[in-house]
PDB file of all heavy atoms in Angstrom:
ATOM      1  N   ASP A  20     -22.079 -12.141  -9.265  1.00  0.00           N
ATOM      2  CA  ASP A  20     -23.025 -11.096  -9.674  1.00  0.00           C
ATOM      3  C   ASP A  20     -22.390  -9.711  -9.678  1.00  0.00           C
ATOM      4  O   ASP A  20     -23.045  -8.710  -9.384  1.00  0.00           O
ATOM      5  CB  ASP A  20     -24.262 -11.092  -8.753  1.00  0.00           C
ATOM      6  CG  ASP A  20     -25.065 -12.378  -8.854  1.00  0.00           C
ATOM      7  OD1 ASP A  20     -25.003 -13.035  -9.909  1.00  0.00           O
ATOM      8  OD2 ASP A  20     -25.755 -12.720  -7.878  1.00  0.00           O
ATOM      9  N   GLY A  21     -21.075  -9.648  -9.994  1.00  0.00           N
ATOM     10  CA  GLY A  21     -20.396  -8.368 -10.065  1.00  0.00           C
ATOM     11  C   GLY A  21     -20.059  -7.742  -8.729  1.00  0.00           C
ATOM     12  O   GLY A  21     -19.672  -6.574  -8.669  1.00  0.00           O
ATOM     13  N   LEU A  22     -20.189  -8.510  -7.634  1.00  0.00           N
ATOM     14  CA  LEU A  22     -19.893  -7.997  -6.306  1.00  0.00           C
ATOM     15  C   LEU A  22     -18.924  -8.928  -5.598  1.00  0.00           C
ATOM     16  O   LEU A  22     -18.963 -10.152  -5.774  1.00  0.00           O
ATOM     17  CB  LEU A  22     -21.174  -7.888  -5.466  1.00  0.00           C
ATOM     18  CG  LEU A  22     -22.264  -6.929  -5.932  1.00  0.00           C
ATOM     19  CD1 LEU A  22     -23.494  -7.073  -5.035  1.00  0.00           C
ATOM     20  CD2 LEU A  22     -21.761  -5.490  -5.894  1.00  0.00           C
ATOM     21  N   TRP A  23     -18.061  -8.341  -4.753  1.00  0.00           N
ATOM     22  CA  TRP A  23     -17.238  -9.130  -3.849  1.00  0.00           C
ATOM     23  C   TRP A  23     -18.058  -9.453  -2.607  1.00  0.00           C
ATOM     24  O   TRP A  23     -18.836  -8.630  -2.125  1.00  0.00           O
ATOM     25  CB  TRP A  23     -15.986  -8.362  -3.442  1.00  0.00           C
ATOM     26  CG  TRP A  23     -14.991  -8.167  -4.538  1.00  0.00           C
ATOM     27  CD1 TRP A  23     -14.655  -6.999  -5.159  1.00  0.00           C
ATOM     28  CD2 TRP A  23     -14.193  -9.186  -5.154  1.00  0.00           C
ATOM     29  NE1 TRP A  23     -13.709  -7.222  -6.121  1.00  0.00           N
ATOM     30  CE2 TRP A  23     -13.398  -8.558  -6.146  1.00  0.00           C
ATOM     31  CE3 TRP A  23     -14.064 -10.567  -4.980  1.00  0.00           C
ATOM     32  CZ2 TRP A  23     -12.506  -9.257  -6.938  1.00  0.00           C
ATOM     33  CZ3 TRP A  23     -13.174 -11.268  -5.770  1.00  0.00           C
ATOM     34  CH2 TRP A  23     -12.400 -10.615  -6.737  1.00  0.00           C
ATOM     35  N   HIS A  24     -17.855 -10.659  -2.093  1.00  0.00           N
ATOM     36  CA  HIS A  24     -18.517 -11.082  -0.856  1.00  0.00           C
ATOM     37  C   HIS A  24     -17.489 -11.706   0.071  1.00  0.00           C
ATOM     38  O   HIS A  24     -16.658 -12.511  -0.370  1.00  0.00           O
ATOM     39  CB  HIS A  24     -19.620 -12.108  -1.135  1.00  0.00           C
ATOM     40  CG  HIS A  24     -20.775 -11.576  -1.904  1.00  0.00           C
ATOM     41  ND1 HIS A  24     -20.744 -11.400  -3.270  1.00  0.00           N
ATOM     42  CD2 HIS A  24     -22.002 -11.176  -1.496  1.00  0.00           C
ATOM     43  CE1 HIS A  24     -21.903 -10.919  -3.683  1.00  0.00           C
ATOM     44  NE2 HIS A  24     -22.686 -10.777  -2.623  1.00  0.00           N
ATOM     45  N   ALA A  25     -17.557 -11.364   1.349  1.00  0.00           N
ATOM     46  CA  ALA A  25     -16.762 -12.036   2.373  1.00  0.00           C
ATOM     47  C   ALA A  25     -17.584 -13.199   2.922  1.00  0.00           C
ATOM     48  O   ALA A  25     -18.763 -13.036   3.250  1.00  0.00           O
ATOM     49  CB  ALA A  25     -16.408 -11.068   3.494  1.00  0.00           C
ATOM     50  N   ILE A  26     -16.960 -14.373   3.001  1.00  0.00           N
ATOM     51  CA  ILE A  26     -17.606 -15.554   3.564  1.00  0.00           C
ATOM     52  C   ILE A  26     -16.926 -15.823   4.905  1.00  0.00           C
ATOM     53  O   ILE A  26     -15.819 -16.370   4.965  1.00  0.00           O
ATOM     54  CB  ILE A  26     -17.476 -16.777   2.637  1.00  0.00           C
ATOM     55  CG1 ILE A  26     -17.813 -16.401   1.189  1.00  0.00           C
ATOM     56  CG2 ILE A  26     -18.329 -17.915   3.137  1.00  0.00           C
ATOM     57  CD1 ILE A  26     -19.231 -15.920   0.990  1.00  0.00           C
ATOM     58  N   VAL A  27     -17.556 -15.416   5.978  1.00  0.00           N
ATOM     59  CA  VAL A  27     -16.932 -15.381   7.303  1.00  0.00           C
ATOM     60  C   VAL A  27     -17.334 -16.617   8.103  1.00  0.00           C
ATOM     61  O   VAL A  27     -18.525 -16.849   8.344  1.00  0.00           O
ATOM     62  CB  VAL A  27     -17.348 -14.113   8.071  1.00  0.00           C
ATOM     63  CG1 VAL A  27     -16.605 -14.031   9.403  1.00  0.00           C
ATOM     64  CG2 VAL A  27     -17.110 -12.866   7.237  1.00  0.00           C
ATOM     65  N   GLY A  28     -16.339 -17.398   8.520  1.00  0.00           N
ATOM     66  CA  GLY A  28     -16.598 -18.521   9.416  1.00  0.00           C
ATOM     67  C   GLY A  28     -16.718 -18.038  10.850  1.00  0.00           C
ATOM     68  O   GLY A  28     -15.860 -17.301  11.355  1.00  0.00           O
ATOM     69  N   ILE A  29     -17.797 -18.420  11.522  1.00  0.00           N
ATOM     70  CA  ILE A  29     -18.064 -17.985  12.893  1.00  0.00           C
ATOM     71  C   ILE A  29     -17.782 -19.153  13.835  1.00  0.00           C
ATOM     72  O   ILE A  29     -18.414 -20.202  13.715  1.00  0.00           O
ATOM     73  CB  ILE A  29     -19.526 -17.524  13.050  1.00  0.00           C
ATOM     74  CG1 ILE A  29     -19.850 -16.443  12.018  1.00  0.00           C
ATOM     75  CG2 ILE A  29     -19.782 -17.024  14.468  1.00  0.00           C
ATOM     76  CD1 ILE A  29     -21.330 -16.112  11.926  1.00  0.00           C
ATOM     77  N   PRO A  30     -16.848 -19.029  14.772  1.00  0.00           N
ATOM     78  CA  PRO A  30     -16.523 -20.161  15.646  1.00  0.00           C
ATOM     79  C   PRO A  30     -17.680 -20.523  16.569  1.00  0.00           C
ATOM     80  O   PRO A  30     -18.525 -19.678  16.902  1.00  0.00           O
ATOM     81  CB  PRO A  30     -15.305 -19.661  16.430  1.00  0.00           C
ATOM     82  CG  PRO A  30     -15.379 -18.170  16.363  1.00  0.00           C
ATOM     83  CD  PRO A  30     -16.027 -17.840  15.056  1.00  0.00           C
ATOM     84  N   LEU A  31     -17.719 -21.784  16.995  1.00  0.00           N
ATOM     85  CA  LEU A  31     -18.750 -22.230  17.927  1.00  0.00           C
ATOM     86  C   LEU A  31     -18.697 -21.458  19.244  1.00  0.00           C
ATOM     87  O   LEU A  31     -19.700 -21.329  19.936  1.00  0.00           O
ATOM     88  CB  LEU A  31     -18.587 -23.727  18.204  1.00  0.00           C
ATOM     89  CG  LEU A  31     -19.222 -24.678  17.194  1.00  0.00           C
ATOM     90  CD1 LEU A  31     -18.730 -26.103  17.421  1.00  0.00           C
ATOM     91  CD2 LEU A  31     -20.737 -24.617  17.269  1.00  0.00           C
ATOM     92  N   SER A  32     -17.534 -20.922  19.580  1.00  0.00           N
ATOM     93  CA  SER A  32     -17.372 -20.183  20.834  1.00  0.00           C
ATOM     94  C   SER A  32     -17.872 -18.743  20.755  1.00  0.00           C
ATOM     95  O   SER A  32     -17.884 -18.037  21.767  1.00  0.00           O
ATOM     96  CB  SER A  32     -15.898 -20.166  21.239  1.00  0.00           C
ATOM     97  OG  SER A  32     -15.108 -19.549  20.223  1.00  0.00           O
ATOM     98  N   ALA A  33     -18.294 -18.273  19.563  1.00  0.00           N
ATOM     99  CA  ALA A  33     -18.719 -16.880  19.406  1.00  0.00           C
ATOM    100  C   ALA A  33     -19.964 -16.587  20.239  1.00  0.00           C
ATOM    101  O   ALA A  33     -20.910 -17.380  20.269  1.00  0.00           O
ATOM    102  CB  ALA A  33     -18.985 -16.578  17.934  1.00  0.00           C
ATOM    103  N   GLU A  34     -19.968 -15.432  20.887  1.00  0.00           N
ATOM    104  CA  GLU A  34     -21.136 -14.996  21.645  1.00  0.00           C
ATOM    105  C   GLU A  34     -22.134 -14.320  20.712  1.00  0.00           C
ATOM    106  O   GLU A  34     -21.738 -13.596  19.792  1.00  0.00           O
ATOM    107  CB  GLU A  34     -20.720 -14.021  22.750  1.00  0.00           C
ATOM    108  CG  GLU A  34     -19.850 -14.624  23.838  1.00  0.00           C
ATOM    109  CD  GLU A  34     -20.610 -15.628  24.690  1.00  0.00           C
ATOM    110  OE1 GLU A  34     -21.857 -15.508  24.776  1.00  0.00           O
ATOM    111  OE2 GLU A  34     -19.966 -16.524  25.257  1.00  0.00           O
ATOM    112  N   PRO A  35     -23.436 -14.543  20.907  1.00  0.00           N
ATOM    113  CA  PRO A  35     -24.429 -13.820  20.103  1.00  0.00           C
ATOM    114  C   PRO A  35     -24.269 -12.312  20.264  1.00  0.00           C
ATOM    115  O   PRO A  35     -23.871 -11.816  21.316  1.00  0.00           O
ATOM    116  CB  PRO A  35     -25.764 -14.306  20.677  1.00  0.00           C
ATOM    117  CG  PRO A  35     -25.454 -15.635  21.304  1.00  0.00           C
ATOM    118  CD  PRO A  35     -24.056 -15.501  21.839  1.00  0.00           C
ATOM    119  N   GLY A  36     -24.558 -11.586  19.189  1.00  0.00           N
ATOM    120  CA  GLY A  36     -24.428 -10.135  19.204  1.00  0.00           C
ATOM    121  C   GLY A  36     -23.663  -9.645  17.992  1.00  0.00           C
ATOM    122  O   GLY A  36     -23.409 -10.388  17.052  1.00  0.00           O
ATOM    123  N   ASP A  37     -23.306  -8.373  18.008  1.00  0.00           N
ATOM    124  CA  ASP A  37     -22.621  -7.767  16.875  1.00  0.00           C
ATOM    125  C   ASP A  37     -21.165  -8.220  16.805  1.00  0.00           C
ATOM    126  O   ASP A  37     -20.456  -8.247  17.810  1.00  0.00           O
ATOM    127  CB  ASP A  37     -22.677  -6.245  16.969  1.00  0.00           C
ATOM    128  CG  ASP A  37     -24.072  -5.696  16.681  1.00  0.00           C
ATOM    129  OD1 ASP A  37     -24.899  -6.456  16.137  1.00  0.00           O
ATOM    130  OD2 ASP A  37     -24.327  -4.521  17.001  1.00  0.00           O
ATOM    131  N   GLN A  38     -20.739  -8.580  15.586  1.00  0.00           N
ATOM    132  CA  GLN A  38     -19.354  -8.907  15.288  1.00  0.00           C
ATOM    133  C   GLN A  38     -18.932  -8.029  14.112  1.00  0.00           C
ATOM    134  O   GLN A  38     -19.780  -7.447  13.432  1.00  0.00           O
ATOM    135  CB  GLN A  38     -19.211 -10.382  14.915  1.00  0.00           C
ATOM    136  CG  GLN A  38     -19.642 -11.347  16.009  1.00  0.00           C
ATOM    137  CD  GLN A  38     -18.569 -11.588  17.041  1.00  0.00           C
ATOM    138  OE1 GLN A  38     -17.387 -11.389  16.760  1.00  0.00           O
ATOM    139  NE2 GLN A  38     -18.957 -12.010  18.234  1.00  0.00           N
ATOM    140  N   ALA A  39     -17.632  -7.937  13.859  1.00  0.00           N
ATOM    141  CA  ALA A  39     -17.161  -7.046  12.802  1.00  0.00           C
ATOM    142  C   ALA A  39     -16.020  -7.671  12.033  1.00  0.00           C
ATOM    143  O   ALA A  39     -15.250  -8.481  12.568  1.00  0.00           O
ATOM    144  CB  ALA A  39     -16.719  -5.708  13.393  1.00  0.00           C
ATOM    145  N   VAL A  40     -15.904  -7.294  10.765  1.00  0.00           N
ATOM    146  CA  VAL A  40     -14.746  -7.625   9.943  1.00  0.00           C
ATOM    147  C   VAL A  40     -14.121  -6.324   9.463  1.00  0.00           C
ATOM    148  O   VAL A  40     -14.800  -5.308   9.291  1.00  0.00           O
ATOM    149  CB  VAL A  40     -15.118  -8.508   8.731  1.00  0.00           C
ATOM    150  CG1 VAL A  40     -15.632  -9.859   9.196  1.00  0.00           C
ATOM    151  CG2 VAL A  40     -16.140  -7.827   7.830  1.00  0.00           C
ATOM    152  N   ALA A  41     -12.796  -6.350   9.270  1.00  0.00           N
ATOM    153  CA  ALA A  41     -12.063  -5.205   8.733  1.00  0.00           C
ATOM    154  C   ALA A  41     -11.741  -5.485   7.267  1.00  0.00           C
ATOM    155  O   ALA A  41     -11.326  -6.591   6.922  1.00  0.00           O
ATOM    156  CB  ALA A  41     -10.789  -4.964   9.524  1.00  0.00           C
ATOM    157  N   VAL A  42     -11.922  -4.462   6.411  1.00  0.00           N
ATOM    158  CA  VAL A  42     -11.748  -4.620   4.971  1.00  0.00           C
ATOM    159  C   VAL A  42     -10.756  -3.591   4.464  1.00  0.00           C
ATOM    160  O   VAL A  42     -10.833  -2.411   4.826  1.00  0.00           O
ATOM    161  CB  VAL A  42     -13.089  -4.449   4.220  1.00  0.00           C
ATOM    162  CG1 VAL A  42     -12.905  -4.687   2.735  1.00  0.00           C
ATOM    163  CG2 VAL A  42     -14.143  -5.393   4.788  1.00  0.00           C
ATOM    164  N   ARG A  43      -9.821  -4.055   3.633  1.00  0.00           N
ATOM    165  CA  ARG A  43      -8.891  -3.150   2.954  1.00  0.00           C
ATOM    166  C   ARG A  43      -9.023  -3.363   1.458  1.00  0.00           C
ATOM    167  O   ARG A  43      -8.871  -4.472   0.961  1.00  0.00           O
ATOM    168  CB  ARG A  43      -7.451  -3.408   3.388  1.00  0.00           C
ATOM    169  CG  ARG A  43      -6.441  -2.498   2.674  1.00  0.00           C
ATOM    170  CD  ARG A  43      -5.038  -2.772   3.164  1.00  0.00           C
ATOM    171  NE  ARG A  43      -4.913  -2.478   4.590  1.00  0.00           N
ATOM    172  CZ  ARG A  43      -3.889  -2.877   5.345  1.00  0.00           C
ATOM    173  NH1 ARG A  43      -2.926  -3.609   4.809  1.00  0.00           N
ATOM    174  NH2 ARG A  43      -3.833  -2.568   6.621  1.00  0.00           N
ATOM    175  N   TYR A  44      -9.330  -2.271   0.731  1.00  0.00           N
ATOM    176  CA  TYR A  44      -9.547  -2.353  -0.711  1.00  0.00           C
ATOM    177  C   TYR A  44      -8.234  -2.134  -1.464  1.00  0.00           C
ATOM    178  O   TYR A  44      -7.234  -1.699  -0.895  1.00  0.00           O
ATOM    179  CB  TYR A  44     -10.599  -1.331  -1.133  1.00  0.00           C
ATOM    180  CG  TYR A  44     -11.980  -1.660  -0.599  1.00  0.00           C
ATOM    181  CD1 TYR A  44     -12.415  -1.154   0.626  1.00  0.00           C
ATOM    182  CD2 TYR A  44     -12.840  -2.491  -1.307  1.00  0.00           C
ATOM    183  CE1 TYR A  44     -13.671  -1.461   1.133  1.00  0.00           C
ATOM    184  CE2 TYR A  44     -14.105  -2.794  -0.819  1.00  0.00           C
ATOM    185  CZ  TYR A  44     -14.504  -2.277   0.402  1.00  0.00           C
ATOM    186  OH  TYR A  44     -15.755  -2.595   0.899  1.00  0.00           O
ATOM    187  N   ALA A  45      -8.276  -2.421  -2.759  1.00  0.00           N
ATOM    188  CA  ALA A  45      -7.069  -2.337  -3.581  1.00  0.00           C
ATOM    189  C   ALA A  45      -6.499  -0.919  -3.611  1.00  0.00           C
ATOM    190  O   ALA A  45      -5.288  -0.737  -3.797  1.00  0.00           O
ATOM    191  CB  ALA A  45      -7.363  -2.824  -4.991  1.00  0.00           C
ATOM    192  N   ASP A  46      -7.352   0.106  -3.445  1.00  0.00           N
ATOM    193  CA  ASP A  46      -6.874   1.491  -3.466  1.00  0.00           C
ATOM    194  C   ASP A  46      -6.395   1.959  -2.098  1.00  0.00           C
ATOM    195  O   ASP A  46      -6.195   3.162  -1.883  1.00  0.00           O
ATOM    196  CB  ASP A  46      -7.968   2.417  -3.993  1.00  0.00           C
ATOM    197  CG  ASP A  46      -9.215   2.420  -3.113  1.00  0.00           C
ATOM    198  OD1 ASP A  46      -9.224   1.719  -2.076  1.00  0.00           O
ATOM    199  OD2 ASP A  46     -10.195   3.111  -3.472  1.00  0.00           O
ATOM    200  N   ALA A  47      -6.235   1.013  -1.161  1.00  0.00           N
ATOM    201  CA  ALA A  47      -5.721   1.267   0.184  1.00  0.00           C
ATOM    202  C   ALA A  47      -6.751   1.879   1.121  1.00  0.00           C
ATOM    203  O   ALA A  47      -6.440   2.148   2.292  1.00  0.00           O
ATOM    204  CB  ALA A  47      -4.457   2.132   0.169  1.00  0.00           C
ATOM    205  N   THR A  48      -7.984   2.115   0.661  1.00  0.00           N
ATOM    206  CA  THR A  48      -9.023   2.561   1.582  1.00  0.00           C
ATOM    207  C   THR A  48      -9.453   1.390   2.459  1.00  0.00           C
ATOM    208  O   THR A  48      -9.329   0.221   2.080  1.00  0.00           O
ATOM    209  CB  THR A  48     -10.237   3.116   0.822  1.00  0.00           C
ATOM    210  OG1 THR A  48     -10.768   2.101  -0.033  1.00  0.00           O
ATOM    211  CG2 THR A  48      -9.859   4.335   0.009  1.00  0.00           C
ATOM    212  N   GLU A  49      -9.961   1.715   3.629  1.00  0.00           N
ATOM    213  CA  GLU A  49     -10.351   0.695   4.583  1.00  0.00           C
ATOM    214  C   GLU A  49     -11.784   0.914   5.027  1.00  0.00           C
ATOM    215  O   GLU A  49     -12.318   2.023   4.953  1.00  0.00           O
ATOM    216  CB  GLU A  49      -9.404   0.698   5.792  1.00  0.00           C
ATOM    217  CG  GLU A  49      -7.964   0.356   5.412  1.00  0.00           C
ATOM    218  CD  GLU A  49      -7.046   0.289   6.613  1.00  0.00           C
ATOM    219  OE1 GLU A  49      -7.517   0.584   7.737  1.00  0.00           O
ATOM    220  OE2 GLU A  49      -5.868  -0.059   6.439  1.00  0.00           O
ATOM    221  N   ASN A  50     -12.397  -0.149   5.492  1.00  0.00           N
ATOM    222  CA  ASN A  50     -13.777  -0.095   5.947  1.00  0.00           C
ATOM    223  C   ASN A  50     -13.978  -1.124   7.043  1.00  0.00           C
ATOM    224  O   ASN A  50     -13.104  -1.978   7.278  1.00  0.00           O
ATOM    225  CB  ASN A  50     -14.736  -0.360   4.778  1.00  0.00           C
ATOM    226  CG  ASN A  50     -16.109   0.237   5.025  1.00  0.00           C
ATOM    227  OD1 ASN A  50     -16.430   0.631   6.132  1.00  0.00           O
ATOM    228  ND2 ASN A  50     -16.910   0.307   3.974  1.00  0.00           N
ATOM    229  N   ARG A  51     -15.096  -1.068   7.664  1.00  0.00           N
ATOM    230  CA  ARG A  51     -15.456  -1.994   8.733  1.00  0.00           C
ATOM    231  C   ARG A  51     -16.926  -2.349   8.557  1.00  0.00           C
ATOM    232  O   ARG A  51     -17.773  -1.459   8.450  1.00  0.00           O
ATOM    233  CB  ARG A  51     -15.192  -1.341  10.096  1.00  0.00           C
ATOM    234  CG  ARG A  51     -15.550  -2.186  11.307  1.00  0.00           C
ATOM    235  CD  ARG A  51     -15.232  -1.391  12.566  1.00  0.00           C
ATOM    236  NE  ARG A  51     -15.765  -2.000  13.759  1.00  0.00           N
ATOM    237  CZ  ARG A  51     -15.112  -2.920  14.480  1.00  0.00           C
ATOM    238  NH1 ARG A  51     -13.910  -3.310  14.092  1.00  0.00           N
ATOM    239  NH2 ARG A  51     -15.659  -3.430  15.569  1.00  0.00           N
ATOM    240  N   TYR A  52     -17.214  -3.621   8.501  1.00  0.00           N
ATOM    241  CA  TYR A  52     -18.586  -4.095   8.353  1.00  0.00           C
ATOM    242  C   TYR A  52     -18.972  -4.897   9.592  1.00  0.00           C
ATOM    243  O   TYR A  52     -18.182  -5.723  10.057  1.00  0.00           O
ATOM    244  CB  TYR A  52     -18.723  -4.995   7.122  1.00  0.00           C
ATOM    245  CG  TYR A  52     -18.543  -4.290   5.799  1.00  0.00           C
ATOM    246  CD1 TYR A  52     -17.269  -3.992   5.317  1.00  0.00           C
ATOM    247  CD2 TYR A  52     -19.637  -3.932   5.029  1.00  0.00           C
ATOM    248  CE1 TYR A  52     -17.095  -3.354   4.102  1.00  0.00           C
ATOM    249  CE2 TYR A  52     -19.483  -3.301   3.810  1.00  0.00           C
ATOM    250  CZ  TYR A  52     -18.209  -3.009   3.356  1.00  0.00           C
ATOM    251  OH  TYR A  52     -18.036  -2.376   2.144  1.00  0.00           O
ATOM    252  N   THR A  53     -20.132  -4.664  10.107  1.00  0.00           N
ATOM    253  CA  THR A  53     -20.604  -5.442  11.248  1.00  0.00           C
ATOM    254  C   THR A  53     -21.747  -6.350  10.811  1.00  0.00           C
ATOM    255  O   THR A  53     -22.447  -6.083   9.832  1.00  0.00           O
ATOM    256  CB  THR A  53     -21.072  -4.550  12.412  1.00  0.00           C
ATOM    257  OG1 THR A  53     -22.211  -3.805  12.011  1.00  0.00           O
ATOM    258  CG2 THR A  53     -19.962  -3.608  12.855  1.00  0.00           C
ATOM    259  N   PHE A  54     -21.879  -7.452  11.516  1.00  0.00           N
ATOM    260  CA  PHE A  54     -22.980  -8.383  11.285  1.00  0.00           C
ATOM    261  C   PHE A  54     -23.397  -8.936  12.635  1.00  0.00           C
ATOM    262  O   PHE A  54     -22.620  -8.920  13.603  1.00  0.00           O
ATOM    263  CB  PHE A  54     -22.559  -9.512  10.331  1.00  0.00           C
ATOM    264  CG  PHE A  54     -21.411 -10.343  10.824  1.00  0.00           C
ATOM    265  CD1 PHE A  54     -21.634 -11.549  11.481  1.00  0.00           C
ATOM    266  CD2 PHE A  54     -20.091  -9.940  10.625  1.00  0.00           C
ATOM    267  CE1 PHE A  54     -20.576 -12.318  11.936  1.00  0.00           C
ATOM    268  CE2 PHE A  54     -19.029 -10.715  11.075  1.00  0.00           C
ATOM    269  CZ  PHE A  54     -19.268 -11.904  11.733  1.00  0.00           C
TER     270      PHE A  54
END
C-alpha cells in the first residue's frame, strides 16, 4: 500500500511492556519506533 512495514519477531522470552526497533533510511537519517 505504498508504505514500508517492519515485521518484527518477538521471542517467547520477551517481557511484556515497551520494546523498540532502530531504523536507518536510505538518506542516512535514523529513527526509533516503540511498540
Side-chain angles (χ1 to χ4, degrees):
D20 296 334
L22 297 175
W23 291 111
H24 294 79
I26 314 298
V27 185
I29 305 169
L31 276 168
S32 59
E34 294 292 334
D37 288 345
Q38 300 277 337
V40 295
V42 183
R43 179 179 298 166
Y44 292 91
D46 62 1
T48 59
E49 297 183 356
N50 204 347
R51 179 180 169 88
Y52 292 79
T53 65
F54 60 97

